[in-house]
Amino acid sequence: MAEPSKVIHVRNVGHEISENDLLQLFQPFGVITKLVMLRAKNQALLQMQDIPSAVNALQFYANVQPSIRGRNVYVQFSSHQELTTMDQNQAREDEFSFSLSQTSLFILLSLSLFSFSMLSAVGNSLDAQPNRILLVTVHHMLYPITADVLHQVFSPHGFVEKIVTFQKSAGFQALIQYQSRQSAVTARSTLQGRNIYDGCCQLDIQFSNLDELQVNYNNDRSRDFTNPNLPTEQKGRSSQPGYGDAGGMHSGARAGGFSQMANAAAIAAAFGGGLPPGITGTNERCTVLVANLNPDRIDEDKMFNLFSIYGNIVRIKLLRNKPDHALIQMGDGFQAELAVHFLKGAMLFGKRLEVNYSKHANITQGADTHEYANSNLNRFNRNAAKNYRYCCSPTKMIHLSTLPQDITEEEIVSLLEEHGTIVNSKVFEMNGKKQALVQFETEEQATEALVCKHASPLSGSVVRISFSQLQNI
């Protein structure tokens, strides 16, 4: 075996294996700082934050054969002690050469289409008259775009006075008004065709023929930076005035202490410019309706334990007139989409959950609601990118962390065995902290253990439980 290094060399990396697959394989052992895919060689180089993290990973996989999408991969220490820019550039050259040899016809066709579209764009721009107001269309929009996000993108090129966003047949669009025409010209020439995030949210910028934008409300959809005193919502428009009073935010994300911009950045970091299969990233509804619950065994805290895996929880309400129904307000639309996608059809307490978007934008605060916006147990206030990467449907395996240092495997089994048949378990140490993996006979048993025992006290510690995507221990 080579000398221990922060850099791990992975072999037999087939083309069906993505960067996210590799991240999920090594993320449990520590922070991953760099990842280089050597597609032409079916290999990858992955750099952990420190050597102990890499050692822990290789020690674990010395006893457990790592497998991704049914393919065994082989890991060892790299001869590199650090991944350099040269290594990454070489990887890009290798991948470019491979892609060119395999898909030259596709590239030539794409270049032809691109040339045609560029000529069209040039023709259109020749007809447009420079103006201080820009019409921006966002293509391939995988992540939510708000007025604040657009302001961060466009404000470096001049003072932005007003922003209005809207949805048209062409897609998501925005009007951006600068103080001067020269600022708009500079922004268009600099940003045209650029992506807000890597690989997505491409900007198509034209001059508008409008003379002045009228902004009535300051919220995520529109903003007048010359008049910060505008209301956030039209009076009587919000069906949830109680929630509007708590800061007047369009979604619950900020009430939960997690800004829209930070959330979008975390999503981009988690998924590397893509999204999990089946996730669109375009949903704006924050509230989820859950039906077919077991009313004899469910409560708000158990619902929190399950749904907080997919995002921050603002508020939960069990419907007294429908005891097997509940409303859950997530931090934002993306987190709600994750919950609906991964939990629809999941089994809990002998019932198959029905999880859909609610017609209610928010949940009205009242005596029958439980508030979680400021809960320290919300997972996505810290390490959001890592938590997004761990999102998955319920599995038979759960991962326990923040355990007492003197915990034993017998104590772990004793804590969880009331919830089902435990097939296997293992206590291990990572970065000096005790953790455990427990495999149940069924996904339903693992889900019950999670909802009942997550955040429960154990010898002075508060146990944290998540689903693990490992197939076996």
Side-chain angles (χ1 to χ4, degrees):
M1 183 177 289
E3 178 185 352
S5 163
K6 291 190 291 188
V7 182
I8 296 173
H9 180 205
V10 188
R11 294 179 291 114
N12 200 35
V13 180
H15 297 290
E16 75 278 10
I17 295 176
S18 68
E19 291 185 357
N20 284 333
D21 292 329
L22 285 172
L23 289 172
Q24 289 179 5
L25 194 66
F26 290 95
Q27 194 72 42
F29 302 96
V31 176
I32 298 168
T33 58
K34 295 176 184 176
L35 174 60
V36 175
M37 302 291 282
L38 306 170
R39 289 293 189 191
K41 301 176 181 178
N42 280 1
Q43 298 176 16
L45 292 172
L46 180 143
Q47 181 173 312
M48 306 297 290
Q49 189 174 40
D50 50 39
I51 290 178
S53 299
V55 170
N56 284 338
L58 263 63
Q59 284 178 344
F60 181 81
Y61 289 124
N63 301 316
V64 177
Q65 172 61 55
S67 176
I68 303 176
R69 300 182 185 271
R71 176 192 286 262
N72 288 344
V73 296
Y74 305 96
V75 298
Q76 63 188 47
F77 290 118
S78 170
S79 57
H80 297 266
Q81 288 296 313
E82 187 99 20
L83 285 179
T84 64
T85 304
M86 186 179 297
D87 297 323
Q88 297 177 64
N89 289 340
Q90 184 61 49
R92 292 190 187 99
E93 290 173 10
D94 290 345
E95 182 149 357
F96 175 75
S97 300
F98 177 79
S99 300
L100 187 61
S101 64
Q102 296 294 312
T103 58
S104 55
L105 178 60
F106 173 78
I107 290 175
L108 288 171
L109 288 172
S110 299
L111 286 172
S112 300
L113 290 171
F114 177 74
S115 299
F116 176 78
S117 64
M118 286 298 290
L119 287 171
S120 300
V122 170
N124 290 338
S125 65
L126 288 174
D127 295 334
Q129 295 298 315
N131 184 13
R132 68 182 183 131
I133 299 178
L134 298 175
L135 172 62
V136 180
T137 304
V138 182
H139 299 295
H140 193 44
M141 197 175 91
L142 295 183
Y143 308 123
I145 302 298
T146 65
D148 287 342
V149 171
L150 291 170
H151 185 258
Q152 291 204 22
V153 172
F154 284 86
S155 61
H157 306 286
F159 180 70
V160 175
E161 292 183 335
K162 300 174 183 178
I163 296 177
V164 176
T165 67
F166 47 93
Q167 196 75 31
K168 289 285 189 180
S169 58
F172 180 88
Q173 293 186 310
L175 289 165
I176 298 174
Q177 178 177 314
Y178 278 98
Q179 191 174 48
S180 70
R181 185 176 65 176
Q182 185 55 47
S183 295
V185 172
T186 302
R188 183 180 183 275
S189 62
T190 304
L191 297 174
Q192 170 63 16
R194 301 285 294 274
N195 293 335
I196 296 179
Y197 302 113
D198 286 345
C200 66
C201 301
Q202 184 183 43
L203 298 173
D204 181 8
I205 307 172
Q206 304 296 329
F207 292 110
S208 168
N209 57 6
L210 296 175
D211 295 323
E212 181 78 27
L213 294 183
Q214 180 176 344
V215 176
N216 298 320
Y217 311 108
N218 283 337
N219 53 34
D220 282 343
R221 300 180 299 278
S222 63
R223 194 167 296 275
D224 185 343
F225 295 95
T226 67
N227 185 5
N229 298 320
L230 287 176
T232 59
E233 205 70 70
Q234 181 178 359
K235 281 191 175 182
R237 178 177 175 181
S238 172
S239 62
Q240 310 298 331
Y243 182 62
D245 292 342
M249 297 303 176
H250 173 59
S251 76
R254 292 176 187 168
F258 197 49
S259 74
Q260 192 102 350
M261 185 63 186
N263 192 32
I267 295 167
F271 302 118
L275 286 175
I279 301 295
T280 67
T282 59
N283 172 61
E284 295 183 351
R285 291 167 288 182
C286 301
T287 304
V288 173
L289 175 66
V290 188
N292 203 34
L293 293 164
N294 185 333
D296 297 327
R297 301 194 61 187
I298 201 67
D299 59 40
E300 289 88 350
D301 287 346
K302 289 186 176 72
M303 296 295 291
F304 173 90
N305 289 346
L306 181 57
F307 280 79
S308 64
I309 292 173
Y310 307 99
N312 285 343
I313 307 299
V314 176
R315 189 171 291 123
I316 295 178
K317 179 179 181 179
L318 297 181
L319 305 186
R320 302 306 172 193
N321 59 335
K322 295 181 179 178
D324 65 338
H325 284 58
L327 288 170
I328 301 172
Q329 185 176 329
M330 307 289 292
D332 61 29
F334 181 75
Q335 296 176 355
E337 184 178 8
L338 290 175
V340 170
H341 176 75
F342 286 121
L343 288 178
K344 183 173 288 189
M347 293 294 297
L348 178 61
F349 299 134
K351 299 282 190 176
R352 188 172 298 280
L353 301 184
E354 299 172 10
V355 187
N356 294 288
Y357 301 112
S358 169
K359 64 181 180 181
H360 300 289
N362 304 307
I363 303 173
T364 305
Q365 187 175 359
D368 56 349
T369 61
H370 279 227
E371 303 298 311
Y372 294 96
N374 298 316
S375 171
N376 291 329
L377 297 174
N378 268 318
R379 302 172 189 246
F380 287 74
N381 289 332
R382 297 178 298 276
N383 300 321
K386 182 175 74 172
N387 283 307
Y388 277 127
R389 277 195 291 272
Y390 288 160
C391 288
C392 64
S393 297
T395 65
K396 299 176 184 178
M397 186 95 67
I398 58 174
H399 174 254
L400 292 82
S401 58
T402 64
L403 296 170
Q405 283 300 105
D406 58 351
I407 194 75
T408 65
E409 194 169 319
E410 290 73 23
E411 288 174 306
I412 293 292
V413 171
S414 177
L415 176 72
L416 300 172
E417 62 185 351
E418 65 177 295
H419 302 294
T421 303
I422 295 177
V423 176
N424 205 351
S425 61
K426 180 178 181 179
V427 174
F428 58 96
E429 191 168 306
M430 186 183 301
N431 297 329
K433 297 178 180 178
K434 283 291 181 71
Q435 302 186 28
L437 289 168
V438 178
Q439 183 177 354
F440 283 88
E441 196 169 56
T442 67
E443 289 87 354
E444 182 179 5
Q445 294 171 357
T447 305
E448 179 180 323
L450 186 149
V451 301
C452 293
K453 293 298 166 60
H454 173 69
S456 60
L458 181 65
S459 301
S461 299
V462 178
V463 179
R464 177 188 171 104
I465 306 178
S466 303
F467 292 115
S468 170
Q469 297 179 54
L470 292 175
Q471 297 301 308
N472 49 59
I473 300 176

